[in-house]
Amino acid sequence: PQNCSWNWRKLLRLGDSVRLFFFQQIGDGRGTSIWYDNWHPLGLVVVNWGRHTIDKSGLPKTALVCNIWNGSNWCWPNNSSHELLEIQISMSNIVPNRNLGDMI
């Protein structure tokens, strides 16, 4: 809001820098962006693999982790690029849990 405190405005400006220090633990995947949240073992997908990976994926920029999990397996688009394959291989140890929410 326009009338927020000076301290809050300064914190909001630090968002991108501070974001790297917070990690999303995946539960049901409904609260975590595939591209912009720090949930992947190698860090933010958009930072490590670039915005072109989003375009190549066929998934929207607003896609959530739950959009690529069918309840038992990861379901990435069939037109997977080299970047998407690298992302998939490095996340083999992540197993979402539909009974839990995502946590920071």
Side-chain angles (χ1 to χ4, degrees):
Q2 295 296 325
N3 60 351
C4 63
S5 71
W6 177 87
N7 289 335
W8 186 247
R9 285 194 310 272
K10 294 295 182 185
L11 285 172
L12 290 174
R13 287 186 190 144
L14 293 173
D16 289 336
S17 301
V18 174
R19 180 180 293 224
L20 298 173
F21 295 101
F22 292 91
F23 185 80
Q24 291 279 123
Q25 184 176 352
I26 301 300
D28 59 12
R30 296 182 188 277
T32 304
S33 166
I34 295 172
W35 314 117
Y36 303 107
D37 286 329
N38 192 14
W39 67 277
H40 192 276
L42 299 179
L44 273 71
V45 174
V46 71
V47 171
N48 291 326
W49 287 279
R51 296 188 188 279
H52 65 278
T53 302
I54 300 171
D55 298 333
K56 287 181 183 180
S57 76
L59 295 167
K61 292 178 182 176
T62 58
L64 302 173
V65 172
C66 65
N67 299 134
I68 56 170
W69 178 255
N70 72 4
S72 58
N73 294 307
W74 293 106
C75 299
W76 287 87
N78 290 334
N79 63 346
S80 295
S81 65
H82 170 73
E83 292 90 354
L84 285 178
L85 291 174
E86 185 178 346
I87 293 167
Q88 293 172 51
I89 290 168
S90 57
M91 57 186 264
S92 60
N93 292 332
I94 300 173
V95 180
N97 183 339
R98 286 187 167 178
N99 298 321
L100 298 173
D102 298 343
M103 297 185 320
I104 295 178

